Amino acid sequence: MSRSVLVTGGNRGIGLAIARVLADNGDRVAITYRSGEPPQELTEAGVLAVRCDITDAEQVEQAYKEIEEKHGPVEVLVANAGITKDQLLMRMSEEDFTSVLDTNLTGTFRVVKRANRGMLRAKKGRVVLISSVVGLLGSAGQANYAASKAGLVGFARSLARELGSRNITFNVVAPGFVDTDMTQVLTEEQRKGIVGQVPLGRYARPEEIAAAVRFLASDDASYITGAVIPVDGGLGM
Ligand code: NAD
């Protein structure tokens, strides 16, 4: 059955792969994107693309209004949008820290809270948050990013407890290193170092993350909530 799905940051990378797989599933998919133009392949496939910066509560409200008008209340939310601003602690400005928290954690709070309005009314809902193996292991030079991604785990598990009785599930996918724009900033040497630590010996493809999200959003995962599913080639074990 076609569901109203929202994928934040669905214009590229992991979010794009998730939007593709859910659209192929027959869902009514909406994506938000922060800048640029949404990919033509998505708009041609009937995906609704809404420009929205999740650090701005008013833009989040407007995006939901448009999605609800065109697709109905969001039944499946994939909170994927995120940023990095890597820096060693002594060089990390307060802005480097707060902007990453404001996007990755508070931005996720904004979109989850708004989606839950409709989910509570419908007495069902699926929320999948995209964290990172870095949130579980930590990473030198990424204290801001790791704090935000670890925060998502506590956030999701609290909501899983708070809203389980309302038939809303909250699960987390924790990818390892994935071939996207986000990881293009790494040098060849850094990439080799990372790959050397991954038991499967390679980066993930965005589609491999999307497959786990599709499962958690499906009826097959109806009894799973508060779970953190690593999709990391074994890096975090
Ligand atoms: P990406 O940089 O290609 O995509 C990030 C997306 O987030 C973009 O669509 C961007 O528009 C959106 N975004 C960023 N700030 C936003 C804001 N303020 N408002 C709205 N949208 C915003 O990165 P990606 O690799 O596809 O990452 C997707 C998610 O997966 C992120 O949360 C990231 O932290 C996480 N992740 C990525 C990796 C990796 O190796 N690439 C590993 C673990 C987790």
Side-chain angles (χ1 to χ4, degrees), residues 163-212:
L163 292 159
S165 64
R166 315 299 281 270
N167 196 24
I168 305 172
T169 64
F170 293 86
N171 290 295
V172 175
V173 171
F177 286 86
V178 189
D179 236 329
T180 68
D181 290 346
M182 188 176 268
T183 46
Q184 290 310 311
V185 295
L186 299 171
T187 63
E188 203 43 47
E189 202 178 323
Q190 285 171 318
R191 282 175 79 93
K192 272 196 193 136
I194 289 163
V195 165
Q197 292 170 38
V198 179
L200 287 183
R202 62 174 176 85
Y203 271 45
R205 287 176 284 110
E207 293 71 27
E208 293 176 307
I209 313 304

Side-chain angles (χ1 to χ4, degrees), residues 8-16 18 32-35 52-56 59 79-84 99 102-104 107 130-134 145 148-149 152 173-184 186 203-204 206 209 231:
T8 65
N11 59 319
R12 65 184 213 200
I14 295 170
L16 174 59
I18 296 168
T32 60
Y33 63 103
R34 187 178 44 166
S35 55
C52 168
D53 183 335
I54 61 167
T55 64
D56 182 331
Q59 288 188 35
N80 162 78
I83 58 167
T84 51
S99 61
D102 192 31
T103 303
N104 298 1
I130 307 301
S131 174
S132 168
V133 68
V134 164
Y145 181 74
S148 72
K149 293 298 187 180
L152 289 179
V173 171
F177 286 86
V178 189
D179 236 329
T180 68
D181 290 346
M182 188 176 268
T183 46
Q184 290 310 311
L186 299 171
Y203 271 45
I209 313 304
V231 186

Side-chain angles (χ1 to χ4, degrees), residues 16-113:
L16 174 59
I18 296 168
R20 272 194 199 122
V21 86
L22 294 175
D24 287 350
N25 216 30
D27 290 320
R28 304 187 299 284
V29 177
I31 62 153
T32 60
Y33 63 103
R34 187 178 44 166
S35 55
E37 289 300 319
Q40 213 178 337
E41 62 151 303
L42 284 190
T43 44
E44 280 173 7
V47 169
L48 173 64
V50 184
R51 189 190 283 265
C52 168
D53 183 335
I54 61 167
T55 64
D56 182 331
E58 186 49 39
Q59 288 188 35
V60 171
E61 179 58 30
Q62 286 310 320
Y64 270 93
K65 280 196 175 138
E66 185 175 341
I67 294 162
E68 284 171 349
E69 234 174 73
K70 295 185 174 143
H71 284 179
V74 171
E75 298 165 271
V76 176
L77 169 66
V78 183
N80 162 78
I83 58 167
T84 51
K85 279 196 186 174
D86 300 351
Q87 200 54 270
L88 296 172
L89 179 65
M90 296 317 286
R91 293 197 192 136
M92 189 180 287
S93 67
E94 189 159 325
E95 204 275 331
D96 291 333
F97 191 83
T98 55
S99 61
V100 169
L101 268 288
D102 192 31
T103 303
N104 298 1
L105 188 55
T106 316
T108 298
F109 158 78
R110 291 185 189 98
V111 293
V112 168
K113 184 174 174 189

